[in-house]
């Protein structure tokens, strides 16, 4: 009898678990800030979708892709490169929405003022050579992929041959802190994270400032697993997309931060896939 009760409890708990819709986001800023903000997004999605929704925090960009691949989450707020990686690993998965700013995203190159690197027009200043430079996370689109692409395009050489030292901070907030402190002379950072940090007074612009803004490229997006309709009911993919496009609460949008969301498709990220292939960051 006890065995039967235990089996029934297991079946019930498994069914409840299967009905929970989970999402994650690449940890491009301080994790405690992300958890506080994305828990509110989970509550919004739960109300809009009519299913239990949980936000699942992860510790790295790679962990976000792994969670998606292993079906620990069904939806993810990815960067351009991590989104391409995830969709390659889970056939049928779809980019369904992107921020209004993500169709034309940018990277800012920032420098410690004591490094004496000053903005010099349309190109990255030539005297960045020989300085200590930090990327963000190794698979960050705005913190590594596209900055490296533009560095190679301008100087015709890889970063390790141009700079005295090359590091990977792990996230954009950390990049800002490292350059501001002087641990690195300059670094590459997501322009939205920089703008938000400046607006919040979390950056001392007497110590660090922007020296170059890259050309635009596609970046962040929401990617949904291809089996969502099968698991959560016919038309669920459309419901998720609508919920994201209908997100207008400034407090929720500040979690990203974005002014709103627009439709996206896998083909939008072909340029990111091409650069990822060119730089050997996609298998």
């Amino acid at each position: 009898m006890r065995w039967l009760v235990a089996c029934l409890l297991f079946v019930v708990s498994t069914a409840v678990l299967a009905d929970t819709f989970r999402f994650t986001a690449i940890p491009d800023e301080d994790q405690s800030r992300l958890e506080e903000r994305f828990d509110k997004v989970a509550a919004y999605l739960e109300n809009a979708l009519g299913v239990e929704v949980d936000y699942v925090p992860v510790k790295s960009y790679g962990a976000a892709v792994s969670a998606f691949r292993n079906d620990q989450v069904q939806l993810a707020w990815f960067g351009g490169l991590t989104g391409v990686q995830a969709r390659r690993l889970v056939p049928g998965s779809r980019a369904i929405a992107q921020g209004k700013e993500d169709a034309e995203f940018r990277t800012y190159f920032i420098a410690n003022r004591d490094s004496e690197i000053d903005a010099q027009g349309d190109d990255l200043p030539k005297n960045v050579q020989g300085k200590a430079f930090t990327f963000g996370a190794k698979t960050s689109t705005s913190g590594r992929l596209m900055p490296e692409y533009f560095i190679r395009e301008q100087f015709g050489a890889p970063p390790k041959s141009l700079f005295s030292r090359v590091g990977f901070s792990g996230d954009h907030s950390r990049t800002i802190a490292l350059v501001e402190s002087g641990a690195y002379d300059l670094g590459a950072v997501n322009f939205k994270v920089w703008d938000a940090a400046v607006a919040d007074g979390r950056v001392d612009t007497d110590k660090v400032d922007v020296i170059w803004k890259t050309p635009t490229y596609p970046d962040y997006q929401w990617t949904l697993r291809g089996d969502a309709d099968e698991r959560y009911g016919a038309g669920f993919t459309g419901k998720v997309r609508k919920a994201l496009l209908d997100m207008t609460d400034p407090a929720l949008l500040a979690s990203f931060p974005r002014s709103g969301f627009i439709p996206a498709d896998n083909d939008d990220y072909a340029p990111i896939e091409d650069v990822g292939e060119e730089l050997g960051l996609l298998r």
Side-chain angles (χ1 to χ4, degrees):
M1 183 65 178
R2 290 181 179 176
W3 177 83
L4 179 59
V5 171
C7 287
L8 288 172
L9 287 173
F10 175 78
V11 170
V12 170
S13 64
T14 302
V16 171
L17 182 65
D19 289 337
T20 301
F21 183 63
R22 293 178 170 83
F23 77 96
T24 194
I26 54 171
D28 57 0
E29 289 192 78
D30 178 75
Q31 188 61 55
S32 62
R33 290 172 57 86
L34 292 178
E35 288 189 41
E36 178 183 352
R37 296 192 307 231
F38 281 112
D39 283 344
K40 297 176 183 177
V41 175
Y44 165 80
L45 289 175
E46 186 166 293
N47 182 66
L49 300 175
V51 297
E52 184 177 346
V53 177
D54 286 342
Y55 165 62
V56 179
V58 292
K59 293 185 177 180
S60 69
Y61 283 50
V65 174
S66 293
F68 190 83
R69 178 192 61 200
N70 296 332
D71 200 21
Q72 294 167 302
V73 298
Q74 292 73 52
L75 175 71
W77 176 240
F78 284 130
L81 181 61
T82 46
V84 169
Q85 291 174 324
R87 292 190 294 274
R88 282 187 167 202
L89 291 168
V90 186
S93 298
R94 297 174 56 191
I96 59 172
Q98 62 181 339
K100 290 180 178 179
E101 297 83 353
D102 289 299
E104 294 187 334
F105 213 76
R106 292 183 185 273
T107 292
Y108 285 172
F109 279 68
I110 59 173
N112 187 287
R113 289 188 181 274
D114 289 341
S115 68
E116 299 182 343
I117 303 171
D118 297 318
Q120 297 176 3
D122 295 336
D123 296 324
L124 188 61
K126 292 182 179 179
N127 66 341
V128 299
Q129 298 179 78
K131 304 291 187 180
F133 176 84
T134 184
F135 290 110
K138 290 184 178 180
T139 54
S140 169
T141 304
S142 54
R144 193 277 175 87
L145 177 73
M146 296 310 297
E148 178 162 347
Y149 171 76
F150 290 122
I151 289 169
R152 287 171 179 262
E153 183 179 54
Q154 180 170 329
F155 293 101
K160 64 181 180 180
S161 69
L162 295 170
F163 302 111
S164 63
R165 180 162 52 98
V166 176
F168 293 92
S169 71
D171 66 62
H172 299 291
S173 296
R174 182 68 175 156
T175 295
I176 295 171
L178 288 170
V179 175
E180 183 177 311
S181 72
Y184 285 89
D185 296 307
L186 72 160
V189 65
N190 170 327
F191 88 105
K192 293 296 292 180
V193 174
W194 170 266
D195 288 348
V198 171
D200 292 346
R202 291 182 280 116
V203 180
D204 186 346
T205 51
D206 289 332
K207 294 182 178 180
V208 58
D209 206 357
V210 176
I211 59 166
W212 188 57
K213 300 177 181 180
T214 69
T216 60
Y217 53 85
D219 201 351
Y220 290 68
Q221 89 294 152
W222 286 104
T223 288
L224 182 68
R225 287 179 61 92
D227 58 0
D229 285 11
E230 180 181 344
R231 292 186 60 178
Y232 299 99
F236 188 76
T237 296
K239 289 178 64 176
V240 175
R241 171 178 271 174
K242 185 177 187 303
L244 296 172
L245 300 184
D246 289 348
M247 190 186 298
T248 57
D249 183 343
L252 293 178
L253 293 172
S255 301
F256 299 93
R258 297 293 184 275
S259 60
F261 291 103
I262 59 177
D265 187 79
N266 292 1
D267 290 344
D268 296 335
Y269 294 87
I272 296 299
E273 189 163 11
D274 291 343
V275 174
E277 291 278 11
E278 183 179 337
L279 298 183
L281 296 177
L282 289 171
R283 297 190 185 94

